[in-house]
Amino acid sequence: MSARLTHPSITPAGRPVRFCYDGQPVEGLEGETIAAALAAGGIKAMRRTRSGQRRGLYCGMGACFDCLVTVDGRASQRACLTKVADAQQVRSTQPAGTAEDPLQPLVPEADAEPVQWQVDVLVVGAGPAGLSAALAARRAGAEVLLLDERLESGGQFYKPLATSHRAATPTDRQFAQGLALEREVRGAGVTIVQGAQVWAAFSPREVAALIDGRARVIRCRQLVIAPGAYERPVPFPGWTLPGVMTTGAAQTLARAYRVAPGRRVVIAGNGPLNLQLAAELLADGTEVVAVLESAACPSWHQWRPLLAAAYTAPDLLRDGWRFLRQLRTHAVPVLWGHTVVAAEGRADGPGGLRSVQVARIDAQGHA
Ligand code: FES
């Protein structure tokens, strides 16, 4: 069953492609990742551990390496960052490195010698901070190169729509702000290279990157590193089951690739992103079983921090109330002071997550 989400003003824009995953044909859309296409086809399990257990999409941003697959003989490719292509051969096992099952080199031999680039300012990371830094440097007259590992600029905060889809108009404020900033940066003359993996800084003026499978060395007068943040997941029994993923990964699937992270979703953790994800999934027609927030329910006894929040971040507060109202309208329980203590399911097969156990957090912070 397809898990693709529909929205009145968002339509698929990528050409349909067909690739092979562990010998089975899978349909995808040009412009989306292998992980998104697999999730759209209801496939959760990706890499295999040495003991044969399966792992699935977890961070969705290239940080955890749980989605490693072999793509056309190239081992250890991150499915959450690698685009699908027609006739691609994707498999969950590593190649044996034998004549019958050869390993393909990452860098083609003809391009083994790295290409050298020279710029005034190199910015690493095209989230809000990297885009803003690149814009400021360019406006000051510098020649600026901006490298970003993801397929589109915007980072975890703006999380733009992938090129597999198009929106008649930006569907929310975050999309609109991200698009406007990127347009400004490109318009100012900053060179942006997506899909660039920066893997070393030999000095603050010499950086190595892998771009389109080719080695590059960039020399710069100034280096700005803006890699953004990633979530701090809390391990619990079953946390590695395919189907358990971070809020960021679930939101990337839904927002950027228009794919539901599952048919029935439990969201747990701390902070406003969980409420936003729940509201977005509900708006797209996904069933949200419950939201577990580890913090206690806000009350008027906390009037001081609430007043400070109303003064410093009124938009955030307004959004929070709006998300909570949406959850109440859809009768989704929000369990304050609760967390997930275990996930259950099959780690050795394609099934993955089946259920979760939840518990109240006591006054000492234990569940
Ligand atoms: S690296 Fe792909 S899910 Fe974490």
Side-chain angles (χ1 to χ4, degrees):
M1 193 189 74
S2 174
R4 294 203 182 273
L5 299 170
T6 54
H7 189 284
S9 52
I10 300 178
T11 50
R15 192 172 57 88
V17 295
R18 179 174 261 239
F19 65 103
C20 228
Y21 181 60
D22 284 343
Q24 299 298 315
V26 182
E27 309 275 340
L29 288 175
E30 205 170 54
E32 72 183 359
T33 59
I34 292 171
L38 291 178
I43 300 169
K44 294 184 204 158
M46 292 183 210
R47 88 175 167 92
R48 290 169 199 268
T49 64
R50 280 192 192 166
S51 61
Q53 297 207 330
R54 305 300 297 268
R55 298 282 192 266
L57 182 80
Y58 187 68
C59 72
M61 57 186 286
C64 77
F65 292 78
D66 258 357
C67 65
L68 292 187
V69 286
T70 298
V71 181
D72 293 334
R74 278 175 299 131
S76 303
Q77 303 298 298
R78 286 168 294 177
C80 68
L81 293 184
T82 308
K83 276 187 188 174
V84 282
D86 240 344
Q88 218 167 29
Q89 295 295 322
V90 182
R91 48 192 239 211
S92 58
T93 48
Q94 299 283 315
T98 59
E100 302 77 52
D101 187 13
L103 266 170
Q104 299 300 320
L106 259 183
V107 181
E109 262 169 42
D111 299 308
E113 205 45 42
V115 176
Q116 314 257 345
W117 285 350
Q118 180 89 43
V119 289
D120 294 332
V121 177
L122 170 64
V123 181
V124 179
L131 287 167
S132 304
L135 184 61
R138 182 69 195 123
R139 282 183 176 156
E143 186 195 351
V144 185
L145 174 64
L146 175 52
L147 299 183
D148 189 64
E149 193 176 22
R150 299 186 66 85
L151 303 178
E152 282 85 30
S153 300
Q156 292 298 304
F157 182 72
Y158 292 132
K159 224 167 264 225
L161 202 57
T163 54
S164 53
H165 288 79
R166 87 164 66 83
T169 50
T171 47
D172 63 33
R173 198 174 62 222
Q174 246 164 286
F175 274 142
Q177 286 173 347
L179 281 174
L181 180 56
E182 190 198 347
R183 212 170 289 141
E184 220 178 334
V185 171
R186 287 190 191 276
V190 172
T191 305
I192 305 180
V193 180
Q194 301 295 150
Q197 191 179 358
V198 172
W199 64 273
F202 305 120
S203 80
R205 301 191 169 191
E206 193 180 31
V207 166
L210 205 57
I211 299 171
D212 288 334
R214 295 192 164 85
R216 300 269 191 268
V217 172
I218 301 116
R219 292 182 207 287
C220 56
R221 288 167 52 208
Q222 292 293 332
L223 171 64
V224 178
I225 299 181
Y230 55 86
E231 289 148 301
R232 194 188 62 172
V234 180
F236 48 79
W239 73 306
T240 55
L241 282 171
V244 179
M245 64 185 77
T246 64
T247 300
Q251 200 193 31
T252 299
L253 276 182
R255 263 180 88 85
Y257 298 109
R258 308 296 305 149
V259 174
R263 267 189 312 112
R264 303 182 76 233
V265 179
V266 173
I267 301 172
N270 173 237
L273 186 60
N274 294 315
L275 298 178
Q276 180 181 351
L277 173 65
E280 286 172 352
L281 291 178
L282 285 171
D284 286 327
T286 301
E287 184 183 352
V288 178
V289 179
V291 176
L292 315 178
E293 167 54 58
S294 58
C297 184
S299 81
W300 292 113
H301 294 120
Q302 297 158 307
W303 64 271
R304 272 179 209 279
L306 281 172
L307 205 62
Y311 182 71
T312 54
D315 288 358
L316 201 61
L317 217 52
R318 230 184 350 256
D319 285 347
W321 289 127
R322 185 163 54 84
F323 299 145
L324 283 172
R325 247 198 347 261
Q326 271 172 267
L327 295 183
R328 197 169 311 133
T329 308
H330 287 84
V332 175
V334 178
L335 306 178
W336 298 91
H338 280 71
T339 190
V340 169
V341 289
E344 284 144 11
R346 292 281 304 271
D348 56 351
L353 176 68
R354 302 288 308 164
S355 61
V356 293
Q357 284 179 27
V358 308
R360 183 186 286 280
I361 299 171
D362 65 21
Q364 282 72 46
H366 302 128

